[in-house]
Amino acid sequence: MCRKEMAKRGLPDEDVLSRVAVVTNRHLAARPYLEQIRRVCQLHPAAVIVREKDLEEEDYARLAGQVLAICREYQVPCVYHTYPEAALCAGVDAIHLPLALMKRYRETGILKEFIHVGTSVHSVREAEEALRLGATCLTAGHIYLTDCKKGLPPRGTAFLQEICALADVPVWAIGGIHMGTGQMKEILSCGAAGGCIMSEMMRI
């Protein structure tokens, strides 16, 4: 999709989207899930993280495989979540895990099969632990107010700057990020590699 067409549809600029990792949530999709995934991939974001963590592994593998096929069609990197075995069976070399799962799977040795291993951190201590465990990227949050974390105050950009200064791997901001608000520019100025967006991208 060209810049002119994106502007006509009121969509974000492709330069911004190249710094956005889309986090999926089929419960928030504005249209049939795979149709929404295709729409997202047409915008060529930095990656699609298939986060459908409420699914059991077999169901997750089936759905993630369908997402993967669409991502490959548009040459968008696809990152699996929670289930490393499902990722390996699908030929996916990038996995995102909660920190507790990363610790568990590191002991099994399976994470050595991946080129990219990401995890979410919510404190400096967690970031330090993730780096010791071999994380190749961190997701730090939540940075802004978000309905996904109702009642919890955001950690803010000072926290993001601290994690970016600490880490020698890419750091992605997450939580309450909206395009067209100046937030992307703000998180990039903190040293983040980009921002992870779920709700807005599931409704775009």
Side-chain angles (χ1 to χ4, degrees):
M1 191 179 299
C2 67
R3 288 176 186 267
K4 185 181 293 186
E5 181 64 20
M6 290 173 70
K8 183 179 178 181
R9 296 190 187 186
L11 297 173
D13 186 271
E14 59 187 7
D15 292 338
V16 174
L17 283 158
S18 70
R19 307 297 287 272
V20 170
V22 176
V23 181
T24 74
N25 184 332
R26 69 194 188 284
H27 302 298
L28 298 180
R31 47 186 59 78
Y33 180 68
L34 295 178
E35 182 181 330
Q36 186 68 37
I37 296 298
R38 182 172 296 277
R39 180 174 173 83
V40 163
C41 286
Q42 287 174 339
L43 300 175
H44 296 282
V48 170
I49 302 172
V50 191
R51 189 178 177 264
E52 312 297 334
K53 63 180 185 177
D54 62 323
L55 293 177
E56 296 297 327
E57 185 165 6
E58 183 177 349
D59 292 330
Y60 176 89
R62 185 180 304 110
L63 184 63
Q66 293 174 305
V67 175
L68 176 62
I70 296 172
C71 286
R72 286 176 170 167
E73 182 179 343
Y74 291 94
Q75 298 182 323
V76 174
C78 185
V79 182
Y80 273 36
H81 195 287
T82 306
Y83 300 113
E85 293 92 345
L88 291 178
C89 287
V92 173
D93 62 8
I95 187 75
H96 187 96
L97 299 167
L99 187 56
L101 282 182
M102 185 180 177
K103 288 189 283 189
R104 183 197 306 173
Y105 282 119
R106 185 174 186 272
E107 293 174 359
T108 70
I110 193 173
L111 298 187
K112 295 177 182 178
E113 303 296 323
F114 291 90
I115 294 176
H116 304 287
V117 179
T119 192
S120 301
V121 299
H122 310 92
S123 68
V124 169
R125 182 191 62 78
E126 288 186 354
E128 291 173 338
E129 183 175 14
L131 293 171
R132 284 196 301 271
L133 291 171
T136 64
C137 70
L138 304 178
T139 300
H142 61 290
I143 304 305
Y144 302 105
L145 281 172
T146 172
D147 287 341
C148 295
K149 302 285 185 181
K150 283 186 176 179
L152 294 177
R155 292 177 172 84
T157 54
F159 166 71
L160 179 60
Q161 285 180 310
E162 191 172 12
I163 300 300
C164 290
L166 167 74
D168 58 356
V169 300
V171 177
W172 291 74
I174 194 169
I177 300 171
H178 300 281
M179 292 174 288
T181 62
Q183 290 176 328
M184 284 296 296
K185 183 176 180 180
E186 189 171 42
I187 63 173
L188 293 174
S189 72
C190 292
C196 298
I197 301 178
M198 181 173 64
S199 299
E200 191 171 66
M201 297 307 293
M202 290 293 95
R203 296 172 179 143
I204 198 166

